């Protein structure tokens, strides 16, 4: 989904190609809703964060919020199809804000991220409650890696099968 803002107005219009699913909770939108919007990153710029593209991969649910000094830790449960891309100290975009994952629990399909005081004042996520939904975008590099491996795996499996057949025809060969 892309946003375009008319100059010198407060109007923002959103465009979404028909090919994209809209996992955002449109039924919960209202005129008073606050949103965090970020511009997409161009690879011609220097990279200091993740490659957030502005695509929503899924929806997560806040399961806990814990304050520790000036920091706010938020635990989120997501579908296992999303969780496979979440790694400790990796990047994730939550409601359009690129953040770092602190902890991961694959068995429970949860991860935790932390917001410092400055970030808490600049985004809308801290105002959400336990049970509220969040839009999740995983780091695209994990998706690229999965795609590249998927292309190579059939060839690797075929080579392993051929090697096993060759070993079986050569008595005395060690694995």
């Amino acid at each position: 989904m892309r946003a375009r803002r008319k100059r010198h107005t407060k109007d923002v219009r959103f465009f979404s190609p028909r090919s994209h699913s809209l996992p955002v909770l449109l039924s919960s939108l209202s005129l008073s809703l606050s949103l965090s919007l970020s511009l997409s990153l161009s690879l011609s710029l220097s990279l200091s964060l993740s490659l957030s593209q502005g695509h929503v991969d899924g929806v997560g649910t806040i399961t806990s919020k814990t304050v520790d000094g000036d920091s706010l830790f938020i635990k989120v449960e997501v579908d296992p199809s999303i969780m496979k891309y979440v790694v400790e100290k990796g990047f994730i975009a939550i409601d359009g804000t690129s953040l770092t994952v602190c902890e991961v629990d694959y068995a429970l399909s949860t991860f935790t991220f932390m917001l410092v005081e400055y970030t808490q004042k600049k985004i809308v996520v801290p105002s959400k409650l336990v049970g509220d939904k969040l839009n999740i975008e995983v780091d695209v590099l994990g998706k690229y890696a999965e795609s590249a491996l998927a292309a190579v795996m059939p060839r690797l499996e075929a080579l392993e099968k051929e090697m096993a057949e060759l070993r079986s025809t050569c008595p005395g060969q060690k694995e």
Side-chain angles (χ1 to χ4, degrees):
M1 189 179 327
R2 282 190 345 208
R4 288 190 184 157
R5 182 170 183 228
K6 292 184 176 182
R7 284 199 158 162
H8 311 295
T9 72
K10 292 184 179 181
D11 292 341
V12 178
R13 295 178 185 207
F14 294 90
F15 301 91
S16 178
R18 290 180 192 258
S19 63
H20 292 180
S21 62
L22 293 176
V24 292
L25 305 170
L26 296 177
S27 63
S28 68
L29 295 180
S30 68
L31 291 176
S32 62
L33 179 70
S34 296
L35 296 172
S36 294
L37 299 176
S38 300
L39 295 175
S40 295
L41 176 67
S42 165
L43 287 178
S44 64
L45 301 175
S46 86
L47 298 176
S48 62
L49 293 175
S50 68
L51 295 176
S52 179
Q53 298 178 300
H55 300 292
V56 177
D57 294 311
V59 176
T61 304
I62 298 174
T63 61
S64 71
K65 293 173 70 173
T66 307
V67 176
D68 183 4
D70 292 339
S71 299
L72 174 62
F73 289 84
I74 299 177
K75 184 179 280 189
V76 178
E77 182 178 6
V78 295
D79 189 86
S81 65
I82 297 296
M83 196 65 198
K84 67 182 181 177
Y85 300 108
V86 180
V87 295
E88 193 170 306
K89 299 181 184 173
F91 297 111
I92 196 158
I94 307 289
D95 276 1
T97 302
S98 181
L99 301 166
T100 303
V101 176
C102 297
E103 297 174 345
V104 174
D105 186 333
Y106 293 105
L108 297 176
S109 200
T110 62
F111 66 91
T112 303
F113 62 92
M114 185 266 299
L115 301 172
V116 296
E117 183 179 20
Y118 175 85
T119 305
Q120 292 176 53
K121 294 176 182 177
K122 301 293 181 184
I123 65 173
V124 299
V125 173
S127 66
K128 299 217 174 179
L129 305 173
V130 171
D132 283 354
K133 304 293 184 190
L134 301 167
N135 289 317
I136 308 293
E137 178 187 353
V138 295
D139 192 344
V140 71
L141 295 179
K143 293 188 276 185
Y144 283 140
E146 180 183 56
S147 177
L149 280 173
V152 170
M153 287 307 293
R155 292 173 51 202
L156 181 59
E157 290 167 356
L159 284 171
E160 287 176 344
K161 182 179 177 183
E162 189 175 328
M163 289 295 294
E165 290 171 3
L166 286 172
R167 283 189 192 108
S168 68
T169 60
C170 299
Q173 291 291 322
K174 295 182 181 179
E175 297 228 6

